[in-house]
Amino acid sequence: MTTPTTTDAAPQRPAGTERGNRPPRPASRPHGQWKIDGTAPLNANEVWKQEDGGLAVRERIENTYAAGGFASIDPTDLHGRFRWWGLYTQRKPGIDGGKTATLEPHELEDEYFMLRVRIDGGQLTTQQLRVIGEISTEFARDSADLTDRQNVQLHWVRVEDVPEIWRRLEAVGLGTTEACGDVPRVVLGSPVAGIAADELIDPTPSIDAITERYIGIPELANLPRKFKTAITGHPSQDVVHEINDVGFVAVTHPELGVGYDLWVGGGLSTSAHLAVRLGTFVAPELVPDVWFGVAAIFRDYGYRRLRNKARLKYLVADWGPEKFREVLETEYLDAPLPDGPAAPKPRTQGDHVGVHRQHDGRYYIGVTPFVGRVSGSKLTALADLLERHGSGRLRTTPHQKLVLLDIEERDLEKVVAELDELGLSAKPSVFRRGTIACTGIEFCKLAIVETKQTATDAVLALEERLGGLDLPHPLSLHVNGCPNSCARIQTADIGLKGQLLPDGDGGQTPGFQVHLGGGLASKDREEAGLGRTVRGLKVTADGLVDYVERLVRRFLADRDAAIDETFAEWAHRADEEALQ
């Protein structure tokens, strides 16, 4: 062993920094929590939100920008406040995914908008559906996408046309208020609220009370970031409550009757957190007050300094459910909430696809388009179809599907056939039923790869290759164009996160990082869990179908049929080599 000389000895510590005598660490920077740190804005977004809130931009859109056109729009309004009214600029055609992270917003964006129509609870009349369809064909190049948050998104919208679009939507009770932005987003509701024969409670009154009291009010129009809500009274737990900021799930209390189990702090994006139960029972009449309390905690205690930490999930993770419940009950409610039981495991699949009996003896039909892609003309034709058969209402779902209500038994066979002709299947393959996709590079400025057509092509190919196989359970395939997980990749059996991969010739090709074995509570799964990632497990877009086919065949060959092993269970126990 060589003894160090003076020249290679360890450097001496500065005076006053010997062990046990370190200088005090600087105090941690404030998180921007209004009730703790004050309301002084700590970043540029917080500055303009306080100077002039997002709700105020509507008057400028109607009276200034619609007349002056795209070039007249103030940049802060364009990239900030417009979102409070459901408007995002869409991606300019022809810009490849490699430029997504290198170009400025004004270089990526086109002079057209995505417009999100807010549909709380997913509840629509055929009159409303027809208006959306007509707006699409007249103002949005016949575009229309069903989202996995029960909204409808239109594209190619010009600012000059927005006031007329609002006029038509609001004439039939629809709107775009707070469809985007740092606000309470659309309230997810059970697509079979008030109609299912096996429903525990109809959440519609609670959804209506929340939206009527709190959407568009200044008190909740400046949250740290978006705030997502889910409420269901159906035992299938059909609103993906585990990945929402606040969720209410119907449950029967042994003494207090039917009410809701309260969940908080869910969210995916680049850092996935599953919501946690607070262990409380919420009586139906208290839902709006409790909802407001959770939203107000987010407003007052949510982290505002860093945008990437400004979601409720981070506060819940730091506080824990016990402290969150204590603050909710002592600072925001008039009295503590009683303890309550957890909801039992779902007994049925929560997408409601197929033909099902309503409580009044009629039927509802859940149908599947390809990955939520429809069109204005198709929506108008669907409104006509329903009205021909005596129905005046339908629902959107959190799974990019539609549920059509009030169909008489004698008309079922004919209606199902007519829906097929529209490209809306009540008897889809397991792949068409289980596949969802985000907007992707076609319109989204954050996307890296194309999604809608990639997913559609994959479904068609997998139906041809694997159509004869008997899969023992539903299988979900979620395709996302970037890491932000709008298509919920971490909670899919097979989740695909878009990225560019080496093409072997020094260039790049569209592809995906693979997540396997995720899922939310369902009839085949006791509780929610996130997907598994395997180091280096990536697939090109061109190789996607081959990969999924290989994976499904391997699962069927390797699964433990004796315990009715699901794909997710197999994916979490399988060797990495089996997942390649």
Side-chain angles (χ1 to χ4, degrees), residues 42-63:
L42 298 180
N43 61 50
N45 278 283
E46 292 298 312
V47 170
W48 64 252
K49 286 195 293 179
Q50 289 195 29
E51 288 178 347
D52 188 23
L55 295 176
V57 80
R58 174 158 179 161
E59 185 274 335
R60 292 193 288 278
I61 292 173
E62 293 181 317
N63 298 321

Side-chain angles (χ1 to χ4, degrees), residues 217-233:
I217 65 170
E219 291 85 350
L220 292 180
N222 179 3
L223 301 178
R225 283 195 75 181
K226 56 191 170 186
F227 181 76
K228 296 181 176 182
T229 304
I231 306 178
T232 184

Side-chain angles (χ1 to χ4, degrees), residues 27-271:
S28 60
R29 298 181 65 183
H31 289 300
Q33 298 169 280
W34 279 1
K35 273 205 169 184
I36 296 173
D37 305 314
T39 59
L42 298 180
N43 61 50
N45 278 283
E46 292 298 312
V47 170
W48 64 252
K49 286 195 293 179
Q50 289 195 29
E51 288 178 347
D52 188 23
L55 295 176
V57 80
R58 174 158 179 161
E59 185 274 335
R60 292 193 288 278
I61 292 173
E62 293 181 317
N63 298 321
T64 302
Y65 301 144
F70 190 87
S72 70
I73 303 172
D74 172 81
T76 304
D77 284 349
L78 181 65
H79 300 123
R81 299 182 185 96
F82 267 46
R83 298 177 185 181
W84 271 242
W85 293 95
L87 290 159
Y88 282 95
T89 52
Q90 66 186 40
R91 189 186 190 95
K92 190 179 297 181
I95 299 178
D96 66 61
K99 295 185 174 67
T100 296
T102 61
L103 296 180
E104 295 295 323
H106 70 275
E107 297 175 294
L108 282 168
E109 68 192 6
D110 209 345
E111 295 187 359
Y112 296 93
F113 293 89
M114 179 276 286
L115 179 68
R116 183 176 294 159
V117 181
R118 180 178 182 133
I119 307 172
D120 291 284
Q123 300 195 14
L124 284 171
T125 66
T126 50
Q127 181 191 27
Q128 291 172 327
L129 184 69
R130 181 175 287 105
V131 167
I132 295 173
E134 291 171 349
I135 289 170
S136 168
T137 54
E138 188 170 344
F139 299 111
R141 301 189 187 180
D142 205 29
S143 65
D145 286 334
L146 306 174
T147 77
D148 59 10
R149 292 199 62 78
Q150 295 185 284
N151 296 312
V152 175
Q153 291 183 172
L154 309 177
H155 296 282
W156 301 109
V157 172
R158 303 185 314 145
V159 71
E160 292 91 336
D161 298 322
V162 169
E164 175 61 16
I165 291 172
W166 281 338
R167 187 192 68 77
R168 296 190 191 187
L169 289 173
E170 291 165 4
V172 293
L174 292 173
T176 68
T177 308
E178 296 184 338
C180 314
D182 298 349
V183 291
R185 302 287 185 89
V186 66
V187 178
L188 296 186
S190 171
V192 294
I195 62 162
D198 56 346
E199 182 179 55
L200 294 175
I201 187 172
D202 182 358
T204 303
S206 295
I207 295 171
D208 289 346
I210 290 169
T211 56
E212 289 167 7
R213 294 182 198 175
Y214 302 124
I215 301 307
I217 65 170
E219 291 85 350
L220 292 180
N222 179 3
L223 301 178
R225 283 195 75 181
K226 56 191 170 186
F227 181 76
K228 296 181 176 182
T229 304
I231 306 178
T232 184
H234 196 265
S236 66
Q237 300 177 20
D238 49 5
V239 292
V240 297
H241 64 278
E242 303 102 322
I243 55 173
N244 278 261
D245 294 284
V246 61
F248 297 84
V249 180
V251 66
T252 302
H253 191 286
E255 288 88 31
L256 302 174
V258 178
Y260 295 94
D261 188 25
L262 178 61
W263 295 65
V264 297
L268 296 179
S269 191
T270 55
S271 176

